[in-house]
Amino acid sequence: MKKIIILVIATVFTLISCKNEKGKKEIKSTDKQEVTYLSFGDKINPDQAISKTEMAAKYKNLKEGDTLVVKFASSINEVCKKKGCWMKLDLDADQEAMVRFKDYGFFMPLNSDGREVIVNGKAYVSTTSVEELRHLAKDAGKTEEEISKITEPKYTLAFEADGVLMKE
């Protein structure tokens, strides 16, 4: 009789421990790594920045003379190679925003191409003259041959940033 009781108790413990093992859930650490930024210009925070896709949609509704105060996140396609005094941000579908800095008050590192940024400031649209386009091409390090091919003004999605955060 003792053997039967011991066998029953052992079986119950085995079943209970198996059931507990099945009921356990693996808890994975969901700690978000804190993103750190380098800050340029006015101090801004990354909260409530819209995506580059949302920004591209907002540009579609702007006409020359309109201004929209906004904060958006994107990646840098190109930075001025002379001083870092402008940058072009990706907007999707072969569109870019030409970003200049408020009052020429700050610059971006020359090696910032491809980096993720959040910009805060004013979005607008304008027509960029041939002279200005050639100046920008020269700043970007384009060849004289490439610069001479610029013969028409360009409709530009423009942005004046008062602050920029760049992921480290």
Side-chain angles (χ1 to χ4, degrees), residues 56-91:
K58 289 188 181 293
Y59 270 116
K60 287 180 184 176
N61 296 323
L62 292 178
K63 300 179 301 267
E64 281 199 53
D66 291 348
T67 303
L68 177 65
V69 176
V70 67
K71 182 187 333 180
F72 76 99
S74 185
S75 58
I76 301 172
N77 284 344
E78 185 178 8
V79 174
C80 170
K81 298 302 179 209
K82 284 193 172 189
K83 298 183 209 174
C85 57
W86 54 261
M87 63 182 170
K88 293 181 181 178
L89 299 184
D90 181 45
L91 289 177

Coordinates of all heavy atoms in Angstrom, one line a residue, residues 56-91:
A56 N 6.2 64.2 -47.0 CA 6.0 64.3 -48.4 C 4.5 64.6 -48.8 O 4.3 65.4 -49.7 CB 6.4 63.0 -49.1
A57 N 3.6 64.0 -48.1 CA 2.2 64.3 -48.3 C 1.9 65.8 -47.9 O 1.1 66.4 -48.6 CB 1.3 63.3 -47.5
K58 N 2.5 66.3 -46.9 CA 2.2 67.7 -46.5 C 2.7 68.6 -47.6 O 2.1 69.7 -47.9 CB 2.8 68.0 -45.2 CG 2.0 67.3 -44.0 CD 2.5 67.8 -42.7 CE 1.8 67.1 -41.6 NZ 0.4 67.4 -41.5
Y59 N 3.9 68.3 -48.2 CA 4.5 69.2 -49.2 C 3.5 69.3 -50.4 O 3.4 70.3 -51.1 CB 5.8 68.7 -49.7 CG 7.0 69.2 -48.9 CD1 7.8 68.4 -48.1 CD2 7.3 70.6 -49.0 CE1 8.9 68.9 -47.4 CE2 8.4 71.1 -48.3 CZ 9.2 70.3 -47.5 OH 10.2 70.8 -46.8
K60 N 2.8 68.2 -50.7 CA 1.9 68.2 -51.9 C 0.8 69.2 -51.7 O 0.3 69.7 -52.7 CB 1.2 66.8 -52.0 CG 2.2 65.8 -52.6 CD 1.5 64.4 -52.7 CE 2.6 63.4 -53.2 NZ 2.0 62.0 -53.2
N61 N 0.5 69.6 -50.5 CA -0.6 70.6 -50.3 C -0.1 72.0 -50.2 O -0.9 73.0 -50.1 CB -1.4 70.2 -49.0 CG -2.1 68.9 -49.1 OD1 -2.6 68.6 -50.2 ND2 -2.1 68.2 -48.0
L62 N 1.2 72.2 -50.3 CA 1.8 73.6 -50.1 C 1.9 74.3 -51.5 O 2.2 73.6 -52.5 CB 3.2 73.5 -49.5 CG 3.3 73.1 -48.0 CD1 4.7 73.1 -47.6 CD2 2.5 74.1 -47.2
K63 N 1.6 75.6 -51.5 CA 1.8 76.4 -52.7 C 2.9 77.4 -52.3 O 3.2 77.7 -51.2 CB 0.5 77.1 -53.0 CG -0.6 76.2 -53.3 CD -1.9 77.0 -53.7 CE -2.3 77.9 -52.6 NZ -3.3 77.5 -51.6
E64 N 3.5 78.0 -53.4 CA 4.5 79.0 -53.1 C 3.9 80.1 -52.2 O 2.8 80.5 -52.5 CB 5.1 79.6 -54.4 CG 6.1 78.7 -55.0 CD 7.1 79.4 -56.0 OE1 7.7 80.4 -55.6 OE2 7.2 78.9 -57.1
G65 N 4.6 80.5 -51.2 CA 4.1 81.5 -50.2 C 3.5 80.9 -48.9 O 3.4 81.5 -47.9
D66 N 3.2 79.6 -49.0 CA 2.7 78.9 -47.8 C 3.9 78.5 -46.9 O 5.0 78.2 -47.4 CB 2.0 77.6 -48.2 CG 0.6 77.9 -48.8 OD1 0.2 79.0 -48.8 OD2 0.1 76.9 -49.4
T67 N 3.7 78.4 -45.6 CA 4.7 78.0 -44.7 C 4.0 77.0 -43.7 O 2.9 77.3 -43.2 CB 5.3 79.2 -43.9 OG1 5.9 80.1 -44.8 CG2 6.4 78.7 -43.0
L68 N 4.7 76.0 -43.3 CA 4.1 75.0 -42.4 C 5.2 74.7 -41.3 O 6.3 74.3 -41.7 CB 3.8 73.7 -43.1 CG 3.3 72.5 -42.3 CD1 1.9 72.9 -41.7 CD2 3.1 71.3 -43.2
V69 N 4.9 75.0 -40.1 CA 5.8 74.6 -39.0 C 5.6 73.2 -38.6 O 4.5 72.7 -38.3 CB 5.5 75.5 -37.7 CG1 6.4 75.1 -36.6 CG2 5.7 77.0 -38.1
V70 N 6.7 72.4 -38.7 CA 6.6 71.0 -38.5 C 8.0 70.4 -38.1 O 9.0 71.0 -38.2 CB 6.2 70.3 -39.9 CG1 7.3 70.5 -40.9 CG2 5.8 68.9 -39.8
K71 N 7.9 69.2 -37.5 CA 9.1 68.4 -37.1 C 9.0 67.0 -37.8 O 7.9 66.4 -37.7 CB 9.1 68.2 -35.6 CG 10.3 67.5 -35.1 CD 10.3 67.2 -33.6 CE 9.5 68.1 -32.7 NZ 9.6 67.7 -31.3
F72 N 10.0 66.6 -38.5 CA 9.9 65.3 -39.2 C 11.3 64.6 -39.1 O 12.3 65.2 -39.0 CB 9.4 65.4 -40.6 CG 10.3 65.9 -41.7 CD1 11.0 65.1 -42.5 CD2 10.5 67.3 -41.9 CE1 11.8 65.5 -43.5 CE2 11.3 67.8 -42.9 CZ 12.0 66.9 -43.7
A73 N 11.2 63.3 -39.3 CA 12.4 62.4 -39.3 C 12.7 61.9 -40.7 O 11.7 61.6 -41.4 CB 12.1 61.2 -38.3
S74 N 13.9 61.8 -41.0 CA 14.3 61.3 -42.3 C 15.8 61.0 -42.3 O 16.4 61.0 -41.2 CB 14.1 62.4 -43.4 OG 14.4 61.9 -44.7
S75 N 16.3 60.6 -43.4 CA 17.8 60.4 -43.5 C 18.4 61.4 -44.5 O 17.7 61.9 -45.4 CB 18.0 58.9 -44.0 OG 17.4 58.7 -45.3
I76 N 19.7 61.7 -44.3 CA 20.4 62.7 -45.1 C 20.9 62.0 -46.3 O 21.6 61.0 -46.3 CB 21.6 63.2 -44.3 CG1 21.1 63.9 -43.0 CG2 22.3 64.2 -45.1 CD1 22.2 64.3 -42.1
N77 N 20.4 62.6 -47.5 CA 21.0 62.1 -48.8 C 22.3 62.7 -49.1 O 23.2 62.1 -49.7 CB 20.0 62.4 -49.9 CG 18.8 61.5 -49.9 OD1 18.8 60.4 -49.3 ND2 17.7 61.9 -50.6
E78 N 22.4 64.0 -48.7 CA 23.6 64.8 -49.1 C 23.8 66.0 -48.2 O 22.8 66.6 -47.7 CB 23.5 65.2 -50.5 CG 24.7 65.9 -51.1 CD 24.5 66.3 -52.6 OE1 23.4 66.2 -53.1 OE2 25.5 66.7 -53.2
V79 N 25.0 66.3 -47.9 CA 25.4 67.5 -47.1 C 26.3 68.4 -47.8 O 27.2 67.8 -48.6 CB 26.0 67.1 -45.7 CG1 26.5 68.3 -44.9 CG2 25.1 66.3 -44.9
C80 N 26.3 69.7 -47.7 CA 27.2 70.6 -48.3 C 28.6 70.1 -47.9 O 28.9 70.0 -46.7 CB 27.0 72.0 -47.8 SG 28.3 73.2 -48.3
K81 N 29.5 69.9 -48.9 CA 30.8 69.4 -48.6 C 31.8 70.5 -48.3 O 33.0 70.2 -48.0 CB 31.3 68.6 -49.8 CG 30.5 67.3 -50.1 CD 30.4 66.4 -48.9 CE 29.5 65.2 -49.2 NZ 28.9 64.7 -48.1
K82 N 31.4 71.8 -48.4 CA 32.3 72.9 -48.1 C 32.2 73.2 -46.6 O 33.2 73.3 -45.9 CB 32.0 74.1 -48.9 CG 32.5 74.0 -50.3 CD 32.5 75.3 -51.0 CE 33.2 75.2 -52.3 NZ 33.5 76.4 -53.0
K83 N 31.0 73.4 -46.1 CA 30.8 73.9 -44.7 C 29.8 73.1 -43.9 O 29.6 73.3 -42.8 CB 30.3 75.4 -44.7 CG 31.3 76.3 -45.3 CD 30.7 77.7 -45.1 CE 31.1 78.7 -46.2 NZ 30.4 79.9 -46.2
G84 N 28.9 72.3 -44.6 CA 27.8 71.7 -43.9 C 26.7 72.6 -43.8 O 25.8 72.5 -42.9
C85 N 26.6 73.6 -44.7 CA 25.6 74.7 -44.5 C 24.2 74.4 -45.1 O 23.3 75.2 -45.0 CB 26.1 76.0 -45.2 SG 26.6 75.9 -46.9
W86 N 24.0 73.2 -45.7 CA 22.7 72.7 -46.2 C 22.8 71.2 -46.2 O 23.8 70.6 -46.2 CB 22.3 73.3 -47.5 CG 23.3 73.1 -48.6 CD1 24.2 74.0 -49.1 CD2 23.5 71.9 -49.4 NE1 25.0 73.5 -50.1 CE2 24.6 72.2 -50.3 CE3 22.9 70.7 -49.5 CZ2 25.0 71.2 -51.3 CZ3 23.4 69.7 -50.4 CH2 24.4 70.0 -51.3
M87 N 21.6 70.6 -46.3 CA 21.5 69.2 -46.5 C 20.2 68.8 -47.3 O 19.3 69.6 -47.3 CB 21.6 68.4 -45.2 CG 20.5 68.7 -44.2 SD 20.7 67.8 -42.7 CE 19.4 68.5 -41.7
K88 N 20.2 67.7 -47.9 CA 19.1 67.2 -48.6 C 18.6 66.0 -47.9 O 19.4 65.0 -47.7 CB 19.4 66.9 -50.1 CG 19.8 68.1 -50.9 CD 20.1 67.8 -52.3 CE 20.5 69.0 -53.1 NZ 20.8 68.7 -54.5
L89 N 17.3 66.0 -47.6 CA 16.7 64.9 -46.8 C 15.8 64.1 -47.7 O 15.0 64.6 -48.5 CB 15.9 65.4 -45.6 CG 16.7 66.1 -44.6 CD1 15.8 66.5 -43.4 CD2 17.9 65.4 -44.1
D90 N 15.8 62.8 -47.6 CA 15.0 61.8 -48.3 C 13.5 62.0 -47.9 O 13.2 62.1 -46.7 CB 15.4 60.4 -48.1 CG 14.6 59.4 -48.9 OD1 14.4 59.6 -50.0 OD2 14.3 58.4 -48.3
L91 N 12.6 62.0 -48.9 CA 11.2 62.1 -48.6 C 10.4 60.9 -49.2 O 9.2 60.9 -49.1 CB 10.6 63.4 -49.2 CG 11.0 64.7 -48.5 CD1 10.3 65.9 -49.2 CD2 10.5 64.7 -47.0

